[in-house]
Amino acid sequence: MLRISNLSKKFGTKSAVDNVSLDVMRGQFIGVIGRSGAGKSTLLRMINRLAEPSSGSIVWDGTDVTRLKGRELNEWRRRSAMIFQQFNLVGRLDVLNNVLVGRIASTPTWRSMLRLWGDDNRTIALAALAQFDMAGYAAQRAEELSGGQQQRVAICRALLQEPDLILADEPVASLDPRNTKLVMDALLRINKHFGITVLCNLHSLDLARTYCDRLVGLSHGKLVFDDVPEALTDSIARELYGIESDDVLAKQPSTPISDFVPAAAVA
Amino acid sequence: MSANPNQQNIAESLTQVPSEFRYLIKGDRKQRIMASMVVVVMVAFYLLGLYVLEINPLRIITGLGELGKIVWLMLPPDPETWERAIRLLFSLIETISIAFLGTLLAAIIAFPLGFLAARNIVSLRLPQFMMRRGLDSIRGIDTLIWALIWINVVGLGPFAGVLAIMCSDIGSFGKLFSEAIEAADRKPVEGVKSAGGSHLDTIRLGIIPQILPVMLSQVLYYFESNTRSATIIGIVGAGGIGLYLAEQIRTLEWQQASFSILLILIAVALIDALSSRIRFAIIGGQQQ
């Protein structure tokens, strides 16, 4: 279980995240919602320690991860895999090597320097790619792929980390609707199949209601909503999003979740 | 009544332009005076320089005849004997080898130094700054001066040439490499870091794949220009065809000198064509 207590992040005098406390249970698919600049991204980055908290603690199974250093920190980063809006792949490296970066924390330095990942890891990477219909692109440079394909490669990289937690920071914000569905379905499958906890920043309420089983709303860095998606009324949403609310509120009724879950995951 | 109503309209609308923007239309007189002052001062400096260095344009005109005579004596380029031609060809190969070895050694040594001089790799400001300044100082000393120094240390010959080219290029490469490293995209680095990669891992997998093609193309470019430098340092005794060329000019063997120059021109043109092709292939590979 992940327990976030009184977590704050200040940039100068401005608070990006302001005294947030949150308990995350294993296996949950949590959507973090709120308008741009509400602190969603900073919150997720602090959990992976890409950003350092100004105060507060993040405790995973009894360990305060905000105090980790060196090898232990790298090990925590392996367990809390990040997925980024801009994919953050190594563009000039081929897809297979990008996926193998997921093994970096468990690979000795001399091996990673020479990119000697080992046949077993290569096989696992290829298998992960095959799961998302990406095995055929294994030898291609990552930068040559479309956004949706790159994000699926990034998901494979995250899977190879064998994480307990996936932190997805606006994973579909730069994708078209078809790829949005592909990527969100992939995250849902990971969540249901492997029981990996997912924390996903989403701008679109429609997506958040469709995929998540719990929603957390941030406004000006403060936690203002924490409940099941059904409890999020239009008036709360308007309050959360302010002038952006017209953009994010569903113009059409959202699709029931059963339409999205792949057959294998439901069974 | 104005003869031209248009003119009146323009004058009228001009009064409505806020005063701080009016100079954009009327032209700022102060700026124009400043600009012409700069030109006057520059011309004055130029004339002063001509006076101080006792440069007399007449000497060029009288000298032109002499230049014509030399060119005439150079034609046709002729090494006189086959044996001499082959010797010149071998010394040309020596020059190219000096350039190649010097450039390669400089690149290998500058590779780690470039990282140490990059702000996004070394978080401590002082050592990074000192490394950058150190590279700048090495770069500030010209290849020719390095050649004169190394000739005194290791003696005449190509080894001094290799060391001279290596020394002056370590500074240039170190600076160019560190700038390429600083310009590298941060996102792949963050990707590797978020997966649990160490600082070294982020460099190896996040940065090096991005900068390697840039570095290779810079090294090739320098190899090309170092072929010319290697000829010059040959003149002061650091090996290669430059040594022969200096000797031929000193002994007024103009036809042999022009043959040497011709060889150098052909070699430089060939390397230029080859390296620009390779560089294009490396950089163009991105869009494949």
Side-chain angles (χ1 to χ4, degrees), chain B residues 10-279:
Chain B
I10 290 169
E12 225 165 79
S13 46
L14 193 60
T15 59
Q16 283 157 18
V17 175
S19 57
E20 59 264 47
F21 297 130
R22 210 163 288 166
Y23 76 93
L24 290 172
I25 295 154
K26 298 208 96 171
D28 190 356
R29 187 164 296 171
K30 224 159 121 193
Q31 236 174 13
R32 284 188 187 187
I33 292 171
M34 280 296 285
S36 37
M37 289 276 280
V38 167
V39 172
V40 167
V41 168
M42 277 165 65
V43 169
F45 263 116
Y46 192 84
L47 292 174
L48 183 71
L50 286 180
Y51 176 74
V52 169
L53 298 176
E54 293 171 18
I55 288 169
N56 187 350
L58 276 176
R59 266 163 62 186
I60 298 174
I61 295 165
T62 51
L64 268 180
E66 204 62 31
L67 185 67
K69 218 189 283 176
I70 291 171
V71 171
W72 182 251
L73 286 173
M74 278 183 166
L75 292 173
D78 181 11
E80 284 172 24
T81 63
W82 273 108
E83 198 194 345
R84 205 172 272 160
I86 287 164
R87 202 166 59 209
L88 282 175
L89 204 63
F90 270 105
S91 65
L92 178 69
I93 291 169
E94 191 175 88
T95 294
I96 295 170
S97 311
I98 291 169
F100 181 74
L101 286 178
T103 314
L104 196 66
L105 275 175
I108 291 167
I109 295 170
F111 185 77
L113 298 184
F115 282 96
L116 294 176
R119 227 173 304 155
N120 51 345
I121 303 291
V122 178
S123 45
L124 292 170
R125 245 343 46 100
L126 192 69
Q128 180 267 330
F129 180 79
M130 278 167 63
M131 180 56 77
R132 185 60 80 80
R133 283 290 150 271
L135 290 171
D136 277 343
S137 336
I138 298 174
R139 208 166 57 101
I141 302 168
D142 191 76
T143 316
L144 194 59
I145 295 165
W146 278 117
L148 291 168
I149 293 171
W150 283 116
I151 284 168
N152 281 297
V153 178
V154 299
L156 291 169
F159 186 43
V162 170
L163 290 174
I165 285 185
M166 182 194 83
C167 281
S168 70
D169 277 11
I170 285 174
S172 308
F173 280 149
K175 192 182 164 72
L176 285 170
F177 289 177
S178 67
E179 275 167 5
I181 292 162
E182 281 174 6
D185 187 3
R186 208 177 36 83
K187 290 197 290 284
V189 175
E190 205 169 57
V192 176
K193 193 175 164 186
S194 77
S198 64
H199 197 49
L200 216 56
D201 291 327
T202 62
I203 292 172
R204 174 65 187 91
L205 293 160
I207 291 180
I208 289 181
Q210 289 187 61
I211 57 164
L212 214 54
V214 182
M215 286 179 169
L216 275 176
S217 99
Q218 282 165 347
V219 170
L220 274 168
Y221 179 79
Y222 266 76
F223 169 50
E224 181 189 317
S225 98
N226 279 339
T227 313
R228 288 184 287 261
S229 305
T231 312
I232 301 296
I233 59 174
I235 293 175
V236 300
I241 199 168
L243 202 61
Y244 288 94
L245 185 60
E247 192 60 28
Q248 287 154 354
I249 293 174
R250 217 172 292 137
T251 55
L252 305 176
E253 302 273 9
W254 293 111
Q255 283 181 304
Q256 287 181 36
S258 64
F259 182 76
S260 304
I261 292 170
L262 197 67
L263 278 184
I264 295 165
L265 282 179
I266 292 168
V268 169
L270 279 178
I271 292 171
D272 184 57
L274 197 71
S275 92
S276 62
R277 278 194 123 169
I278 298 173
R279 271 188 292 142

Side-chain angles (χ1 to χ4, degrees), chain A residues 108-160:
Chain A
T109 304
W110 71 270
R111 279 188 161 270
S112 62
M113 289 299 110
L114 299 168
R115 288 203 250 136
L116 294 170
W117 305 106
D119 287 349
D120 45 350
N121 282 332
R122 288 174 175 278
T123 314
I124 295 167
L126 212 55
L129 283 168
Q131 283 220 8
F132 298 98
D133 299 323
M134 292 295 296
Y137 298 96
Q140 226 162 313
R141 278 190 192 165
E143 66 194 359
E144 291 163 3
L145 305 184
S146 74
Q149 291 171 328
Q150 288 196 40
Q151 196 60 296
R152 278 182 276 164
V153 174
I155 289 173
C156 290
R157 175 175 73 188
L159 274 182
L160 254 77

